[in-house]
Amino acid sequence: MSPASSAWSNSLNTLSNPPPELSAGFRATLARIAGDGCLLTDPADCWPYGYDNSRRHARPQAVVFATNEAQLAALVRLCCESDVPLIARGRGTGTTGATVPDRGGIVLSFERMDQILRIAPGDRLAVVQPGVLNAQLQQAAGAAGFFWPPDPTSAATCTIGGNLAYNSAGPRAVKYGTPRDNTLGLRAIDGHGDTFRTGVLTTKGVVGYDLTRLIIGSEGTLALITEATLKLTPLPETSRTLRAVYADIHAAAHAVSAIMAQPVTPCALEFMDGAALATVRHYAGLDLPDGAGALLMIEVDGPSAGIDEALSAVMAAARNAGLIELRRAETAAEVAALWKTRKALSPALRHIAPKKINEDVVVPVSRMGEFIDGLARLSDESGIRIVNFGHAGNGNIHVNLLIDPDDPQEVARAASCLDAVFALVLRLDGTLSGEHGVGLEKRDFVAREIDPVALRLMREIKDRFDPAGILNPGKGLPEG
Amino acid sequence: MSPASSAWSNSLNTLSNPPPELSAGFRATLARIAGDGCLLTDPADCWPYGYDNSRRHARPQAVVFATNEAQLAALVRLCCESDVPLIARGRGTGTTGATVPDRGGIVLSFERMDQILRIAPGDRLAVVQPGVLNAQLQQAAGAAGFFWPPDPTSAATCTIGGNLAYNSAGPRAVKYGTPRDNTLGLRAIDGHGDTFRTGVLTTKGVVGYDLTRLIIGSEGTLALITEATLKLTPLPETSRTLRAVYADIHAAAHAVSAIMAQPVTPCALEFMDGAALATVRHYAGLDLPDGAGALLMIEVDGPSAGIDEALSAVMAAARNAGLIELRRAETAAEVAALWKTRKALSPALRHIAPKKINEDVVVPVSRMGEFIDGLARLSDESGIRIVNFGHAGNGNIHVNLLIDPDDPQEVARAASCLDAVFALVLRLDGTLSGEHGVGLEKRDFVAREIDPVALRLMREIKDRFDPAGILNPGKGLPEG
């Protein structure tokens, strides 16, 4: 193990003993299929491809760099014959362990399939390889006057393939939707090693079943995506930013419902609860009014003509008895100042609790106040500090349990608290993941949300796409 | 046969001999399961449930009126045991024969499951039974300040269940998307008779595979939809209407691409080609300028503030060297006058060719001019008049072959022409159906669009959802 990986490993949760060596025959065939310079087998080289942002780690037995469909088809066939797991990976920014090879096997890195094949403004589409970075696509699309709406926080380093694997969205989803709403078609390879196309190049199409959206969000368990045709949206002309501070979360939640019930849909509607504000309050220059119990960051975009009226409509909806302060940014510097509180949160949390448990549950917007109340009760009962922020317009709440992982008692209480959080989410008609996905992290909770019949159908679909069970086995769905 | 049905039958294409009678035992069980007043078995009563707007007809062996999930689950189990086809039907407005029981069996009418269960403005959703009419939902949602974007021409008489079965959209899809983009979750019953939930109540969610969109567009072949949670959109404050007349289709197609490449997306972008204009030209009061070779109807909606600037942006994009006239409606009367040309088309076509072949193919917007040129060539070659109109913003073109069905030579030439139309669509990277679906009409052409691997996966999915093959057998996918 290299010194660098050894330093890393101190903060990682190693999931398995080193996997058994691959046979010499398998390795020879693998080398031929992977092609020159596209295979890593030295454990130290493989090591960095074994983790994701969940801090789980398991060393892959080999790493193959994907280069083309013929190579991938041959690789799937080889793994199929030899019963070796194949785990597709973008850049490892996922938070659920979905790309961690916990059962050994080959990590298939898409980082070199990073070409933007086509940007077609008149057809509002882009065709990309899965290893293209989200930010790279935004830049190329932006030059043509367009953007692709999904914008995870990790946009600078996450891949389109990963965004599709988890249906990862981000703040703009409130107005522009998730990858499922912004993808027209795919090329993919199933668990037999057979290549196929899904979807269309157009915004309408109803021939055959919708395999495109079935594969999006399936975390590499159904097929390897080799190409995606993405629906582009024209860049808005301008935007405006608001910060609304409320006495408590109920007033903020009430404002969110009121904003979502009027015609102007913001392009960002983010919130921080009182615990999140308390976490950053001691930072200098945040300029928060006294009594701040919840905060909304609101952005409105659109044509310059009418933007101020659109902002006024949102401001009117944001006003209620619990509003303490409503500030509107006029200049780029003012916009940055308003976002400062929100941006201070992540470093503050990392400082306080480097191993916080970060969930991304969703509840209907109308239940958000009730949910945050419930979380406060669970925090009191468990003694675990819970800090909440997230995408309020979608009811997508990042629930952060701040724990000391070296305290086994606290870890046990956190597990029990998390269990209660999930139960609360489901009682409020919510879902356990809005955009991070399931991976290993939430696999054992899936059966609480998905009913047994739907789960049977999902397993049967998995079984038909991947009868040998080699495509990212054990992720996404609970064990049979 | 009743006199009414006898009159109808003259214009219908009867698909099969009368099916064999159902056994007395089966009928007794069926009566018990259906419940009082929910079963028709008299051939004259069953007759009107055997057709759709494709003018195909086959008499069902029985008609059951769906009332609740327990009844439907028992019905599926009975059909499963006895190998009797079960064909879900809304109001028969489909155009592909998808609800015609061509193999006999039971037509399951959802017309009595017509309750709107919930409208939740703060959560932007509605929960409805499948028999709710599209117009009925729009009215209820409208009262709360919202609408559901899919708006087929048949909105006054088509059901939400039918809209979901075919992913039927309409003009607004160019801005607001299709049912797949506007549905959050479903309740459904699979071919085993097992009830399940799909999706979420929220606009984000990535737990398990996306069964919601898999079922949408599957034409009743995978599951019976018993309830749908629909995503609502706030009603826009106002709208503006334009009519743009061009010298030829290339100028119009160029304008469509230019409109779609700028930030203001119209809520309707409809077109008529030269042949369509020629068809209506002799109608009084249409007020078309000389040299009109193509027409666009454009609507822009949004907040009142900025609507005129939005309209101006679209007008600027609509202007090119081939533009002959650009008119803007200011009053309701002017809006109606502008739409008059477009609205005159359907009655004119019915008058000229009551049995026209109406296709709803799609090509990328940038290929539309090329496509219409190709159609003109095919019309010349075949001697069949082809009239085109449709949803230009999606590239969704209703291609109408005007034929005399009593002329066998013309019918044969039309079949060969249609074949060439489909070949052209696929050569231009298009799809064979934008919103009407496949049914019986296009079943034999599906394998030209969907590749063999994807088709195998679709068949395997069908086989897992419905192993007995009783749910609308023989529709949507080509024979194995």
Side-chain angles (χ1 to χ4, degrees), chain A residues 105-453:
Chain A
I106 297 168
V107 163
L108 178 62
S109 172
F110 278 94
E111 67 193 83
R112 298 186 190 171
M113 278 184 81
D114 62 351
Q115 297 303 300
I116 295 173
L117 303 174
R118 190 149 81 91
I119 303 258
D123 291 324
R124 289 192 172 188
L125 63 83
V127 182
V128 303
Q129 291 188 321
V132 168
L133 298 181
N134 184 295
Q136 179 190 351
L137 170 65
Q138 306 298 358
Q139 195 171 15
F146 289 82
F147 69 108
W148 190 54
D151 59 340
T153 311
S154 54
T157 47
C158 66
T159 65
I160 301 297
N163 298 166
L164 297 175
Y166 310 121
N167 198 34
S168 312
R172 288 196 294 230
V174 62
K175 178 168 181 177
Y176 295 106
T178 70
R180 281 190 182 126
D181 304 307
N182 291 284
T183 305
L184 300 173
L186 302 172
R187 289 184 63 89
I189 297 178
D190 73 3
H192 298 271
D194 292 337
T195 304
F196 60 104
R197 279 183 307 106
T198 75
V200 286
L201 288 178
T202 55
T203 46
K204 279 185 181 173
V206 61
V207 175
Y209 302 149
D210 188 349
L211 302 186
T212 306
R213 289 167 185 86
L214 184 67
I215 292 171
I216 295 175
S218 71
E219 307 189 349
T221 64
L222 295 181
L224 306 172
I225 296 172
T226 60
E227 188 181 294
T229 302
L230 307 174
K231 182 178 152 190
L232 298 181
T233 299
L235 281 168
E237 228 171 77
T238 190
S239 65
R240 294 285 183 275
T241 302
L242 287 177
R243 191 183 77 177
V245 180
Y246 296 88
D248 56 46
I249 190 68
H250 290 277
H254 181 75
V256 171
S257 274
I259 291 167
M260 294 306 286
Q262 56 81 51
V264 180
T265 304
C267 63
L269 182 43
E270 303 287 296
F271 91 107
M272 290 169 69
D273 76 350
L277 291 177
T279 305
V280 297
R281 201 181 297 266
H282 64 280
Y283 277 69
L286 289 186
D287 193 17
L288 279 172
D290 287 343
L295 177 146
L296 295 180
M297 288 299 306
I298 310 167
E299 288 202 348
V300 176
D301 66 4
S304 301
I307 191 76
D308 290 320
E309 290 81 357
L311 193 72
S312 298
V314 171
M315 286 172 82
R319 283 197 185 94
N320 61 37
L323 180 72
I324 294 178
E325 182 196 82
L326 184 58
R327 283 174 59 183
R328 171 180 172 170
E330 301 284 342
T331 65
E334 286 168 352
V335 170
L338 287 195
W339 276 102
K340 206 169 167 186
T341 308
R342 172 67 187 80
K343 306 251 178 195
L345 185 59
S346 288
L349 287 175
R350 255 198 302 277
H351 179 71
I352 296 171
K355 293 188 188 170
K356 65 184 161 73
I357 298 173
N358 173 13
E359 294 302 332
D360 82 315
V361 298
V362 191
V363 296
V365 167
S366 65
R367 318 295 294 268
M368 251 174 32
E370 203 176 333
F371 180 57
I372 302 288
D373 275 354
L375 292 175
R377 268 196 307 279
L378 291 174
S379 175
D380 285 348
E381 285 164 23
S382 63
I384 290 168
R385 190 160 160 202
I386 303 182
V387 170
N388 306 294
F389 62 96
H391 314 303
N394 303 103
N396 188 188
I397 297 161
H398 293 281
V399 176
N400 291 266
L401 277 60
L402 309 188
I403 58 162
D404 173 2
D406 297 327
D407 176 346
Q409 282 197 326
E410 187 159 282
V411 168
R413 274 183 294 129
S416 140
C417 179
L418 197 59
D419 198 282
V421 170
F422 290 159
L424 179 61
V425 167
L426 295 175
R427 191 149 44 76
L428 297 175
D429 289 331
T431 176
L432 299 181
S433 177
E435 55 189 9
H436 292 179
V438 171
L440 293 169
E441 183 90 28
K442 291 185 180 170
R443 188 184 55 181
D444 298 336
F445 296 97
V446 168
R448 289 214 215 159
E449 174 172 340
I450 307 288
D451 71 46
V453 175

